[in-house]
Amino acid sequence: MRTFRYSSLLLLCFLTAVEAASQDSAYVERHSIWRQTYSEALQNPALMTHAYLKPFTELSIQTDYRHQSDAFRVEEGTGFLLPEISASSYVRLTPSSVVWGKAAYANGQHDNKVYNNVADWDLLYPDVIADSIGGDSKRERYLFSGGYAAEKGLWMLGGELKFRAEQEYRTYDPRMRGIVSDLSLKAGAARKMGAYHVGLSLEGNIYRQTADVDFYGEANGMGELQMTGLGTSYVRFSGSNRDIFYEGKGAALAFDVQPVSHGGWQAHFSHAIHQYKRLSDEYNSLPLTTLYRQQTSLTFGWRRQSAKNEKALLLYAAYDKRASDEHVVGTSSGQDYPILMALTMYHQHRWDVGATALYGCGDWHLQLKAGYLSHRESYEYVERKVEYARVYGELTAQWLKTLNDDWSLNIYAKGGYAANLSHKIVMPYANMSVSIRDYVNHNYKYQKASYTQMQAGARADYKPQTWAVGMFGEVGSAWQFCSVGEHEANLHLSLGIIF
């Protein structure tokens, strides 16, 4: 951890020293919601040669706060407080080559998590270790990323590295601790073909997490649960304090077609596959479960930017599939535990499809988004199912203005509604313990609900012409109201300097 922190600080010093660029018209391209119309394409590092017109370096200190009056999802808790310091930079080395990078450190708290004793619950679900007591946990995260891209003739080439180290722990019973290392490498290429850039990128990922739960109370003989989905657990390896670790690997491919000029048709397609094994350290790295995840997304549309206005219409679809194998383990022979078979017991299918329309004129932008969400989970035996579907819509407005030579202002607001269309649950309630029944029903109550969302914020940048460094401040708040009478509040505060 210390080595990574020092490396991050050295990167920050290097990027700051390379170039100190004054604030200019690039402020608009960095903060306008128009950027969202092509942000997916910039996941290809080769296309980062055209990401910004001018270089910049930004140093900031920020904090994010979330609180729910009742946990919408038990495993995610009732909220968090996460202060963070970060530095990000985009530097043009030559007219045809750029470097960019980011370094960040965050240290905060996660509140009232239950049935979840791992970091990265969203990656590893449903194969997590858990207990029914839960509590607050401390969270610490280090993040580093850097990339390089160059353009030569009709070709653009680029590469990017990302590394995240994170730990989450609790200092009282149940004493959970999860330590994560997550490394991704990406390479991309793009070629100019007529009026379009056609790009392809490949990404590889290596993931590892060690996780355990300890109980030090004299009268507390409880152990962790090896959860397997929808309230089920691997009974044979639950109930005692075991050390678990996860090994993950994955790959992703993305294809892009983007207009070279300010308008035209565009397309983005990506497909990613990941695998996460849960292994028992106590039984010679015995694999207990294997989670397979596939994510596919497609965005297709048209955009046009002129001196008078900006227009875009995009259609999108995203599919997320999870399947978890439980390994049936035989009787041990010496130190070996033979795996007799693997049974695919858990399935999840999630679809999100919709359309986005954006119009900008002068200092104003309006964006309208509407879509349909379908979520289905099932466990094979004894049969369990949870399903729900929603339609949603949201409207975003932004006023982005360079007031004078010293001040720039960004004000935005968003409102939306997600209405439940259908829901269904099938559970063997007669064979479920009271705590598991309450846990499953609690989550389902919020999955089948409808939600109203509101968000607003403002950012002000100040940089007199005689200053080499500018300052900025940002405040934002978001609220979500649930049809069952609960709510969520979010707050974001940020202060920093920009070169």
Side-chain angles (χ1 to χ4, degrees):
M1 291 290 186
R2 290 182 179 177
T3 301
F4 178 76
R5 185 184 300 179
Y6 296 149
S7 300
S8 301
L9 292 175
L10 287 173
L11 172 73
L12 170 61
C13 294
F14 167 75
L15 292 175
T16 303
V18 169
E19 182 165 345
S22 62
Q23 186 185 27
D24 46 47
S25 59
Y27 178 83
V28 176
E29 68 171 357
R30 291 198 298 267
H31 301 291
S32 173
I33 61 174
W34 172 254
R35 184 175 177 81
Q36 297 176 14
T37 63
Y38 57 90
S39 59
E40 286 181 322
L42 297 180
Q43 296 173 16
N44 183 339
L47 294 174
M48 285 294 287
T49 54
H50 296 276
Y52 299 100
L53 294 175
K54 297 293 181 66
F56 71 92
T57 297
E58 184 173 289
L59 314 179
S60 68
I61 179 170
Q62 65 182 48
T63 186
D64 287 286
Y65 169 78
R66 186 188 76 186
H67 175 73
Q68 295 175 345
S69 56
D70 188 30
F72 291 178
R73 181 89 196 196
V74 166
E75 299 95 332
E76 295 185 288
T78 57
F80 59 80
L81 177 64
L82 194 63
E84 180 179 80
I85 56 173
S86 67
S88 59
S89 187
Y90 181 88
V91 176
R92 188 164 295 278
L93 300 178
T94 69
S96 60
S97 64
V98 298
V99 293
W100 66 94
K102 181 177 181 179
Y105 171 73
N107 193 328
Q109 176 173 300
H110 215 135
D111 300 329
N112 300 316
K113 294 196 330 181
V114 186
Y115 285 104
N116 173 23
N117 283 323
V118 298
D120 294 334
W121 172 86
D122 55 334
L123 291 182
L124 303 176
Y125 176 82
D127 295 344
V128 301
I129 61 175
D131 70 84
S132 60
I133 301 173
D136 299 343
S137 61
K138 302 293 184 181
R139 184 180 177 190
E140 187 176 16
R141 181 179 68 207
Y142 300 81
L143 177 67
F144 168 87
S145 67
Y148 171 81
E151 184 175 12
K152 186 174 180 62
L154 299 177
W155 284 94
M156 293 172 285
L157 299 174
E160 185 177 35
L161 177 147
K162 293 182 180 180
F163 179 74
R164 175 174 61 94
E166 187 162 348
Q167 67 170 337
E168 193 164 349
Y169 60 95
R170 192 179 296 124
T171 55
Y172 57 88
D173 287 358
R175 299 170 189 253
M176 64 83 66
R177 189 178 190 90
I179 301 176
V180 174
S181 61
D182 188 3
L183 174 66
S184 295
L185 291 171
K186 186 184 294 186
R191 191 179 191 277
K192 183 178 180 182
M193 301 179 67
Y196 290 89
H197 284 139
V198 179
L200 181 70
S201 66
L202 297 172
E203 180 179 5
N205 174 256
I206 299 174
Y207 179 90
R208 183 178 176 89
Q209 179 177 173
T210 59
D212 66 85
V213 186
D214 294 325
F215 295 85
Y216 292 159
E218 293 182 2
N220 197 338
M222 182 180 178
E224 73 263 21
L225 301 170
Q226 303 295 337
M227 305 302 291
T228 51
L230 295 178
T232 62
S233 61
Y234 201 151
V235 177
R236 179 177 175 182
F237 295 98
S238 297
S240 59
N241 299 332
R242 306 183 191 277
D243 292 333
I244 298 294
F245 65 97
Y246 295 87
E247 288 185 344
K249 57 184 178 180
L253 176 148
F255 175 77
D256 288 279
V257 177
Q258 292 290 319
V260 174
S261 63
H262 295 293
W265 296 96
Q266 66 181 69
H268 171 84
F269 172 80
S270 66
H271 181 70
I273 53 174
H274 290 86
Q275 173 184 299
Y276 301 97
K277 285 189 176 182
R278 173 171 46 181
L279 303 104
S280 172
D281 202 22
E282 182 178 349
Y283 295 112
N284 295 327
S285 301
L286 173 66
L288 305 181
T289 58
T290 302
L291 174 65
Y292 301 92
R293 188 178 186 188
Q294 298 183 37
Q295 296 169 283
T296 304
S297 67
L298 174 65
T299 302
F300 177 79
W302 172 89
R303 74 173 190 261
R304 174 70 65 184
Q305 187 176 33
S306 67
K308 294 182 178 180
N309 54 47
E310 296 166 326
K311 308 173 191 174
L313 178 61
L314 304 176
L315 307 178
Y316 62 88
Y319 174 61
D320 189 348
K321 176 185 177 182
R322 299 181 192 229
S324 177
D325 288 354
E326 296 178 26
H327 301 288
V328 180
V329 182
T331 304
S332 65
S333 174
Q335 297 297 318
D336 296 326
Y337 288 80
I339 298 177
L340 304 180
M341 66 181 71
L343 301 176
T344 306
M345 301 297 287
Y346 173 85
H347 298 272
Q348 175 188 293
H349 302 273
R350 186 180 179 91
W351 279 96
D352 187 3
V353 296
T356 300
L358 186 146
Y359 180 79
C361 183
D363 304 322
W364 286 92
H365 282 86
L366 291 175
Q367 178 178 276
L368 179 63
K369 184 177 181 180
Y372 169 79
L373 174 69
S374 171
H375 181 100
R376 294 183 289 118
E377 293 180 70
S378 63
Y379 191 85
E380 294 297 327
Y381 186 82
V382 176
E383 183 184 26
R384 301 179 183 221
K385 289 184 178 180
V386 169
E387 302 176 2
Y388 62 90
R390 300 180 189 140
V391 291
Y392 60 87
E394 63 180 38
L395 178 65
T396 304
Q398 182 187 45
W399 185 69
L400 188 62
K401 179 72 173 178
T402 301
L403 301 177
N404 51 45
D405 291 340
D406 297 341
W407 287 94
S408 298
L409 190 60
N410 175 15
I411 300 176
Y412 56 90
K414 179 189 295 186
Y417 183 70
N420 180 266
L421 292 180
S422 62
H423 53 271
K424 178 182 179 181
I425 187 169
V426 176
M427 287 287 160
Y429 286 111
N431 299 323
M432 296 170 67
S433 66
V434 174
S435 59
I436 294 293
R437 181 199 65 197
D438 292 344
Y439 154 52
V440 170
N441 285 343
H442 181 105
N443 283 345
Y444 181 62
K445 177 175 70 172
Y446 291 99
Q447 290 170 325
K448 67 179 183 179
S450 298
Y451 293 86
T452 302
Q453 302 169 344
M454 296 183 295
Q455 181 179 349
R459 169 173 168 147
D461 285 64
Y462 177 68
K463 184 185 177 300
Q465 294 295 305
T466 57
W467 288 19
V469 177
M471 303 184 301
F472 72 88
E474 183 176 4
V475 58
S477 181
W479 292 81
Q480 189 169 207
F481 299 93
C482 181
S483 59
V484 297
E486 304 296 340
H487 69 271
E488 174 186 288
N490 293 269
L491 179 64
H492 170 81
L493 298 173
S494 180
L495 293 172
I497 58 176
I498 188 166
F499 298 86

